[in-house]
């Protein structure tokens, strides 16, 4: 049997980074370990109520925690124990978490993470995910600071996601293509299952929360209508697929082709998704797979970041579909100015 584990793959790929001394490899390994623990707990999610019945205390005598808090704790613990990061930013924490320990003295990296994206889907047995982004620190020494996170997405050293689905997969890029690994529960290892992932240039699936339709910008409304029109040549009407769990929607579209849209709405005037630990890592992966990611105008990876939890609209997926919706955005923005 010719199986390549995530660990073996990372070691092989280390040669791509002639000046790296293995820290990034160890960091990816740490993220892999934490995600296996999170996967184990996500798999038991339906039992949480039963297990927690005796006053919410589990066998280790710890309080049963909500899974997003549990996932956050696991990733932070794994990253701190690994010694390769000088600071962590998480969706679950208002401020950055500086890491100040003997083993992290020479740490070169910072990690931004959404430990459990789409966590509201857990209660209904729908896939959820973890999204992570790795930057090289810009400060020189000591624990990391905000400055280390205020870098554009183009500066990411690596990015990835884990999907806790019908199987558990880790998909990541270090800027040299995208590779996917499926967890083989029988050996407890992520194994290379999707080498060199690419996405279709044009496709026929669109993913957007159409319940917000009335609150979308005109360009998005017109694009949705375009997707629904009958046209043999372009294969329309396109299919609408929206799980409402970002990693699951984007993973499906990466594999089958498609576009994911979360625009500005009246309720979320800056968009809903966060630039640092959701949009930037997903954008790097999708671009590396041959797709495109913008905020409707500007490439996501080139957006300036000013705040840790900054939001942005997101249009991401198959290249031609993203271009098309941007055409609509430009056209109807102009029209509304002329009105
Ligand atoms: P979260 O980080 O609070 O879980 O929110 C992000 C999620 C994405 O996973 C998903 O694509 C989106 O929010 C769904 O939002 P909506 O329910 O508004 O369609
Ligand atoms: Mg999220």
């Amino acid at each position: 049997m010719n199986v390549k584990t995530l660990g073996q793959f990372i070691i092989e790929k280390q040669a791509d980074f002639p000046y790296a001394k293995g820290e990034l490899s160890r960091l990816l390994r740490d993220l892999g370990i934490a995600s296996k623990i999170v996967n184990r707990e996500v798999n038991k999610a339906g039992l949480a109520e039963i297990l927690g019945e005796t006053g919410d205390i589990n066998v280790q005598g710890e309080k049963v925690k909500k899974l997003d808090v549990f996932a956050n704790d696991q990733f932070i613990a794994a990253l701190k124990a690994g010694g390769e990061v000088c600071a962590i930013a998480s969706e679950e924490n208002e401020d950055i978490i500086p890491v100040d320990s003997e083993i992290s003295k020479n740490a070169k990296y910072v990690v931004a993470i959404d430990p459990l994206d789409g966590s509201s889907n857990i209660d209904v047995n729908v896939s959820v995910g973890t999204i992570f982004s790795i930057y090289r620190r810009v400060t020189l020494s000591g624990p990391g600071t905000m400055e280390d996170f205020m870098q554009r997405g183009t500066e990411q050293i690596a990015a990835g996601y884990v999907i806790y689905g019908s199987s558990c997969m880790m998909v990541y890029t270090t800027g040299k293509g995208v590779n996917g690994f499926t967890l083989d529960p029988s050996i407890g290892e992520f194994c290379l299952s999707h080498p060199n992932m690419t996405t279709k240039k044009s496709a026929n699936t669109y993913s957007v929360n159409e319940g917000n339709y009335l609150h979308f910008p005109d360009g998005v409304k017109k694009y949705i209508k375009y997707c629904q029109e009958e046209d043999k040549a372009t294969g329309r009407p396109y299919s609408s697929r929206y799980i409402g769990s970002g990693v699951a929607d984007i993973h499906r579209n990466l594999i089958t082709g498609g576009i994911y849209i979360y625009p500005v709405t009246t309720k979320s005037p800056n968009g809903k998704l966060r630039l640092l630990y959701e949009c930037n890592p997903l954008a790097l992966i999708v671009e590396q797979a041959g797709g495109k990611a913008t905020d409707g105008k500007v490439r996501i990876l080139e957006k300036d970041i000013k705040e840790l939890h900054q939001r942005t609209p997101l249009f991401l997926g198959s290249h031609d579909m993203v271009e098309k919706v941007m055409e609509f955005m430009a056209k109807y923005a102009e029209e509304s100015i002329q009105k």
Side-chain angles (χ1 to χ4, degrees), residues 293-308:
T294 76
D295 68 358
K297 276 193 194 145
V298 177
R299 185 179 171 213
I300 289 290
L301 297 180
E302 288 176 12
K303 279 176 77 92
D304 284 334
I305 178 148
K306 299 184 185 81
E307 281 171 39
L308 212 52

Side-chain angles (χ1 to χ4, degrees), residues 184-206:
D184 179 342
S186 68
I187 56 169
E189 295 276 8
F190 282 107
C191 300
L192 182 62
S193 52
H194 295 61
N196 294 317
M197 293 172 82
T198 53
T199 197
K200 283 186 187 154
K201 188 160 180 289
S202 54
N204 49 19
T205 298
Y206 70 100

Side-chain angles (χ1 to χ4, degrees), residues 40-322:
R40 188 189 64 201
E41 293 305 304
V42 167
N43 280 332
K44 292 192 296 203
L47 297 170
E49 290 283 299
I50 303 170
L51 296 176
E53 235 173 29
T54 53
D56 282 343
I57 307 285
N58 69 14
V59 279
Q60 282 94 35
E62 298 157 334
K63 277 198 168 159
V64 176
K65 284 184 192 151
K66 277 185 71 190
L67 270 172
D68 36 11
V69 178
F70 177 85
N72 194 38
D73 291 350
Q74 287 304 320
F75 280 102
I76 291 171
L79 291 169
K80 281 186 172 169
E84 309 300 347
V85 297
C86 62
I88 303 160
S90 164
E91 183 181 317
E92 294 288 330
N93 299 78
E94 201 173 325
D95 299 315
I96 65 162
I97 303 156
V99 180
D100 190 9
S101 67
E102 193 51 34
I103 53 165
S104 68
K105 249 188 4 242
N106 300 315
K108 284 187 197 155
Y109 298 103
V110 295
V111 168
I113 191 159
D114 181 354
L116 211 60
D117 183 63
S119 50
S120 61
N121 288 293
I122 286 186
D123 297 345
V124 290
N125 217 336
V126 164
S127 303
V128 288
T130 296
I131 312 171
F132 61 88
S133 170
I134 303 174
Y135 290 88
R136 193 178 285 270
R137 70 182 303 173
V138 291
T139 51
L140 296 176
S141 58
T145 70
M146 273 289 277
E147 206 188 328
D148 295 308
F149 292 97
M150 298 297 106
Q151 306 188 51
R152 285 183 172 190
T154 44
E155 302 306 309
Q156 288 172 104
I157 300 293
Y161 62 77
V162 181
I163 176 164
Y164 310 101
S166 44
S167 56
C168 176
M169 263 190 89
M170 181 190 269
V171 173
Y172 82 92
T173 180
T174 52
K176 291 184 160 58
V178 181
N179 290 285
F181 300 81
T182 303
L183 182 64
D184 179 342
S186 68
I187 56 169
E189 295 276 8
F190 282 107
C191 300
L192 182 62
S193 52
H194 295 61
N196 294 317
M197 293 172 82
T198 53
T199 197
K200 283 186 187 154
K201 188 160 180 289
S202 54
N204 49 19
T205 298
Y206 70 100
S207 309
V208 62
N209 185 345
E210 281 184 69
N212 294 327
Y213 183 86
L214 288 179
H215 306 284
F216 288 158
D218 284 350
V220 175
K221 285 183 181 164
K222 299 283 182 196
Y223 178 71
I224 291 174
K225 287 293 157 220
Y226 166 88
C227 292
Q228 296 169 346
E229 274 163 22
E230 202 77 45
D231 180 59
K232 274 223 171 72
T234 50
R236 286 175 291 149
Y238 296 155
S239 284
S240 162
R241 293 282 182 275
Y242 190 73
I243 300 169
S245 190
V247 174
D249 276 311
I250 288 160
H251 179 69
R252 182 205 50 242
N253 287 1
L254 186 70
I255 290 178
T256 62
I259 186 169
Y260 173 93
I261 301 175
Y262 210 110
V264 297
T265 62
T266 353
K267 207 168 86 193
S268 317
N270 299 316
K272 178 183 181 189
L273 302 179
R274 268 60 52 113
L275 179 59
L276 179 65
Y277 43 78
E278 292 177 321
C279 299
N280 270 338
L282 294 168
L284 185 65
I285 294 165
V286 167
E287 280 198 7
Q288 283 290 316
K292 196 172 164 91
T294 76
D295 68 358
K297 276 193 194 145
V298 177
R299 185 179 171 213
I300 289 290
L301 297 180
E302 288 176 12
K303 279 176 77 92
D304 284 334
I305 178 148
K306 299 184 185 81
E307 281 171 39
L308 212 52
H309 300 283
Q310 185 173 323
R311 296 175 192 266
T312 173
L314 178 66
F315 299 76
L316 160 145
S318 290
H319 180 274
D320 293 354
M321 296 183 89
V322 177

